[in-house]
Amino acid sequence: MFESFKREFLAGITVAVVALPLALAFGMQATGNSEGAIIGLYGAIITGFFAAMFGGTPRQVTGPTGPITIIVTGIVAQYGLTYAFIAAFMGGLFQIVFGILKLGNYLKFIPLPVVSGFMNGIAIIIIIGQLKYVTSGFLIVLLTIVFMLISIKWIKMIPPSLMALIIGTIAVIGLERIMPIVHFSLPFINEFSLFGEVERIGEIPKGLPQLHLPIVEMDILIQLIPPAISIAILGSIDSLLTSVVMDNLTGTKHNSNKELIGQGIGNAMAGLFGAMPGAGATVRSVVNLRSGAQTGLSAMIHSVALLSFMLVLGSLASQIPLAVLAGILIVTGFTMFDVDSLRVVRSEPRSDAIVMILTMVLTVVVDLMVAVGIGIVFSALIFMKRMSEEGVKMTNRMEGEMSIYTLDGPLYFGSTDALIDTIMKDKEKSIVIEMDRVPVIDATGALALVQIYDQLKERGQNLYLIGVQKNVKVRLRKMKIFESLGNKPRFKDIEDLKYYAVHGYRKKVEKVLNH
């Protein structure tokens, strides 16, 4: 028992060390000023604790992430910080509803090019968002990036972001004493500072997060529904992607719907206490796992550790330069970029590359939700086009005076035109459609059979169906397709049809009708 708790405790402390600089940096990114650092820290504390307590992925760590940060940035810019908290609360409620309705089973169907596209777009937005710190304190940002890259390559004991945060802050304190402020102009940039006035996080509150219960008018609540849904959907996607990664590493199976409920509770609580919403964070979760975590207790301990840091060492954190956090975010943005997705651009099918690039561009230029929505629609249209091109495979043979068409594959709206066109060119007296290799049929496919029957009937030809599978038969019965076909006999196989054609016995017909 003690050894188990010790393992969870050490894992929680380790992941808190990793989460601290990222929480501060993402919070700053969301608000565009030093005030956001504490909001990001609050977000890691609150969402991390409640998502671990109620979620469905035992070792997953929740906190501010890139997609969530970009959404919150937009909400803060349009509505203000107070309304961003309300949107976070509403987004959490939507996630709880998603979980109750078991929508977690369907979010996994989002195509990979769409996911890669919007993640790449988010990485670009994060990097672009730090350019103001690059122009106002280039040397500080550059040194932070160098420190972080060196740490990634050669220092394994301390998380790179924390190493860059500590060394970067110390370097700034030293440079302020010996380095003069250097300003000059560059083409397309009004003012560029090699080393300027250093803006810091500032005073961090020592108390616990305070409950926020603002009075909001109904029209404002209605306006906040779209951004709240954005938080819910993209936060859910982000979290469940991390859950899948954790499944692959542990050989376990997460509970998608329970995870959504846990994430929703965490984000709703974050909104109530004036904190950033969050999502499952892949890097933090992997660190948690590799540090020995077995349950959600380690993620809860990580939240308590962050809270302790805020209460005890908040005065030290107040001296952290924003340019140092900007350097950390720039490296984080580059590491978020899905380099493997670039291979898609150079390979077939080109349609996947188009979807990925389109989603990425729309994420940067328009909006995350618009990008994801359009990306999914384009992916669906491309999939339908591919399926219609492949379609149901159809072969034809003659047996006596019967022209037999054997179908192989699903009969759905994308493949019905080819079936109708082919059969309507056939002039044989008896047309047989062999369907024992048709696993599914949709409404369009079912109605196509009626259309074929009606047109053949007008020309004095007969249509017979053989080998209809049970689940397809159920669909045809529900749609009353057999009645529309004039209750023409349906046969188990071609031998039954031949027997009927020769003998025409009523008992035989009754047998096959009930088959």
Side-chain angles (χ1 to χ4, degrees):
M1 180 70 177
F2 175 76
E3 286 299 321
S4 177
F5 177 79
K6 178 182 176 182
R7 185 173 56 245
E8 299 295 318
F9 179 81
L10 293 176
I13 297 298
T14 303
V15 78
V17 170
V18 176
L20 174 62
L22 294 176
L24 296 172
F26 280 133
M28 182 197 71
Q29 164 86 11
T31 61
N33 54 48
S34 58
E35 182 183 3
I38 186 61
I39 292 169
L41 186 56
Y42 281 159
I45 293 169
I46 295 173
T47 61
F49 187 86
F50 287 101
M53 179 179 288
F54 297 104
T57 312
R59 303 170 182 88
Q60 184 152 295
V61 178
T62 298
T65 63
I68 292 293
T69 300
I70 301 307
I71 296 172
V72 175
T73 302
I75 299 173
V76 171
Q78 185 172 356
Y79 298 100
L81 190 56
T82 299
Y83 290 136
F85 296 147
I86 297 172
F89 173 74
M90 294 169 62
L93 295 183
F94 279 124
Q95 284 183 296
I96 294 172
V97 173
F98 291 169
I100 293 173
L101 295 178
K102 301 188 182 306
L103 298 185
N105 299 332
Y106 301 98
L107 288 173
K108 61 186 177 182
F109 292 116
I110 295 177
L112 183 59
V114 176
V115 175
S116 295
F118 92 79
M119 289 302 291
N120 290 343
I122 289 165
I124 293 171
I125 292 173
I126 288 175
I127 294 169
I128 292 174
Q130 308 314 308
L131 294 183
K132 65 179 181 179
Y133 295 103
V134 173
T135 58
S136 64
F138 177 79
L139 184 59
I140 301 173
V141 175
L142 178 61
L143 286 174
T144 303
I145 293 173
V146 170
F147 293 149
M148 195 164 177
L149 294 178
I150 290 174
S151 181
I152 290 173
K153 188 169 182 62
W154 284 296
I155 302 174
K156 306 299 182 182
M157 296 297 295
I158 302 176
S161 56
L162 182 64
M163 177 63 73
L165 183 70
I166 295 171
I167 298 179
T169 302
I170 294 173
V172 169
I173 295 173
L175 287 172
E176 283 180 317
R177 296 179 179 178
I178 61 173
M179 183 97 177
I181 295 176
V182 182
H183 296 286
F184 51 90
S185 297
L186 289 177
F188 309 108
I189 301 177
N190 294 330
E191 188 76 21
F192 185 89
S193 296
L194 182 64
F195 186 81
E197 294 182 3
V198 180
E199 185 181 358
R200 289 177 162 79
I201 288 178
E203 183 179 357
I204 291 182
K206 292 289 184 68
L208 297 173
Q210 299 298 310
L211 185 65
H212 287 246
L213 291 173
I215 299 175
V216 186
E217 297 178 0
M218 182 58 66
D219 59 334
I220 298 295
L221 283 177
I222 294 174
Q223 292 179 41
L224 290 175
I225 290 177
I229 292 177
S230 297
I231 291 174
I233 293 178
L234 292 181
S236 299
I237 294 171
D238 204 5
S239 298
L240 294 183
L241 285 175
T242 301
S243 296
V244 171
V245 171
M246 297 300 287
D247 284 350
N248 292 334
L249 292 174
T250 62
T252 58
K253 181 71 173 175
H254 73 278
N255 186 325
S256 297
N257 299 306
K258 186 179 179 183
E259 182 63 31
L260 291 185
I261 293 173
Q263 292 289 331
I265 293 173
N267 285 334
M269 295 300 292
L272 285 178
F273 285 92
M276 268 189 69
T282 305
V283 173
R284 278 158 271 179
S285 299
V286 172
V287 169
N288 190 38
L289 171 65
R290 291 177 177 170
S291 298
Q294 297 294 321
T295 68
L297 178 61
S298 59
M300 297 166 68
I301 291 173
H302 129 276
S303 294
V304 175
L306 289 175
L307 179 62
S308 301
F309 167 83
M310 183 189 73
L311 297 176
V312 177
L313 301 176
S315 58
L316 294 178
S318 65
Q319 298 302 310
I320 296 173
L322 298 188
V324 171
L325 295 179
I328 293 172
L329 279 177
I330 289 173
V331 177
T332 301
F334 277 108
T335 56
M336 282 179 59
F337 200 89
D338 186 5
V339 178
D340 291 338
S341 65
L342 298 179
R343 298 172 187 168
V344 177
V345 177
R346 298 177 297 173
S347 62
E348 296 292 342
R350 297 294 183 188
S351 55
D352 286 345
I354 292 172
V355 170
M356 190 272 287
I357 293 172
L358 177 65
T359 306
M360 181 174 66
V361 171
L362 289 175
T363 298
V364 176
V365 177
V366 185
D367 178 78
L368 267 75
M369 281 299 294
V370 172
V372 172
I374 292 178
I376 291 173
V377 170
F378 265 78
S379 295
L381 292 175
I382 290 170
F383 173 76
M384 287 186 287
K385 183 176 182 298
R386 287 175 183 168
M387 291 300 293
S388 64
E389 289 173 350
E390 295 180 7
V392 61
K393 295 179 181 178
M394 182 168 36
T395 57
N396 178 246
R397 69 181 189 275
M398 290 295 298
E399 293 198 16
E401 297 182 353
M402 295 184 295
S403 180
I404 303 173
Y405 290 87
T406 300
L407 306 185
D408 188 353
L411 184 57
Y412 73 111
F413 66 91
S415 56
T416 54
D417 287 345
L419 175 66
I420 294 172
D421 291 343
T422 301
I423 291 181
M424 296 318 300
K425 293 176 183 177
D426 199 317
K427 304 302 182 183
E428 294 298 327
K429 178 69 174 177
S430 297
I431 305 294
V432 181
I433 299 180
E434 194 171 34
M435 300 180 63
D436 58 332
R437 296 180 184 175
V438 177
V440 293
I441 188 170
D442 71 352
T444 306
L447 293 175
L449 296 177
V450 177
Q451 182 179 342
I452 292 170
Y453 168 78
D454 290 339
Q455 293 184 27
L456 290 177
K457 182 179 179 181
E458 289 180 3
R459 297 185 342 195
Q461 295 170 277
N462 296 315
L463 175 67
Y464 299 98
L465 304 181
I466 64 174
V468 182
Q469 292 191 23
K470 184 176 181 180
N471 57 326
V472 174
K473 194 179 298 181
V474 170
R475 168 62 69 90
L476 296 179
R477 281 198 181 112
K478 285 183 178 179
M479 293 183 64
K480 300 187 184 302
I481 298 299
F482 291 134
E483 295 179 13
S484 300
L485 296 180
N487 282 320
K488 284 282 182 181
R490 302 172 316 273
F491 301 90
K492 178 179 179 181
D493 51 37
I494 193 65
E495 296 303 321
D496 276 348
L497 176 56
K498 289 179 179 179
Y499 190 95
Y500 168 75
V502 173
H503 301 283
Y505 291 156
R506 184 62 193 168
K507 287 185 178 180
K508 186 68 175 179
V509 175
E510 289 175 354
K511 174 187 174 184
V512 295
L513 276 173
N514 294 322
H515 170 67

